[in-house]
Amino acid sequence: VKKANELSFEYPSFAEVIKEQITAAEAVMNEAEAIADEKAKIDKMTIANSLLRTKFIANLDNIRELTRSIRTKSIEIRALNMQYNERVSADQAISNGESVISNSIEKLKSTVNSRSDAEALSGLVLSDLKAAQDNIDRVIKIVKDREAKEKQAADKKVEEKKAEEAKAEAVKQEQNKLIKCEYCGTENL
């Protein structure tokens, strides 16, 4: 109920439909409280809870989380060390994300008259936000994959250089090794 009330304040155009769900859930919960049989009471309470976990309420909650996620990832992507083509893709993904958020806010201001309207509208907005987040995630993955390959290549070069240095040191030590003369017993290089 608390989450549903928060969502009705955050999305006022959905307030009436959310309040209808809260009223229906409270009525079922009142019926549940009057039942003496614990199993039947629990079943009735489950029905009451399911009335507050409708698709559009879940969508609205997910919309809030996706919006935060897109904004957070937009900041994260700006901090990455990108090549020119990656920067162009990142700028497009960020711009698209901001545009989708702005359009979503406007769409969510539309009047909602029924539960089916609420589900349709929230579902549309949710799918738009998921697509925007997927675009940002794709760019982040491309950059991080490239960085990982570059790091592997750099690590490989370091290992190769260490191996060459170790080989050169071994050769140098072999050359500087003292040899004992079999005839006179003197040690020489």
Side-chain angles (χ1 to χ4, degrees), residues 115-184:
R115 183 174 164 180
S116 61
D117 287 349
E119 287 181 6
L121 180 59
S122 64
L124 174 67
V125 169
L126 188 63
S127 68
D128 290 347
L129 288 168
K130 282 181 181 176
Q133 183 182 29
D134 289 346
N135 285 338
I136 291 173
D137 287 342
R138 182 182 47 79
V139 173
I140 290 172
K141 183 180 181 326
I142 288 169
V143 173
K144 288 188 175 182
D145 287 351
R146 178 192 46 82
E147 287 177 340
K149 286 179 184 175
E150 287 175 353
K151 185 178 183 322
Q152 283 177 338
D155 289 347
K156 185 176 179 183
K157 281 185 178 182
V158 167
E159 290 299 318
E160 288 172 354
K161 186 174 181 179
K162 284 181 182 179
E164 286 177 20
E165 289 173 354
K167 185 177 178 182
E169 184 63 30
V171 168
K172 185 178 177 184
Q173 285 181 357
E174 185 66 32
Q175 290 173 346
N176 292 336
K177 188 176 176 184
L178 294 176
I179 300 171
K180 188 174 186 179
C181 176
E182 293 177 12
Y183 180 71
C184 68

Side-chain angles (χ1 to χ4, degrees), residues 11 14 24 45 49 70 85 169 185 189:
Y11 304 106
F14 288 79
M45 292 170 125
N49 281 329
I70 289 170
N85 60 336
E169 184 63 30
L189 290 176

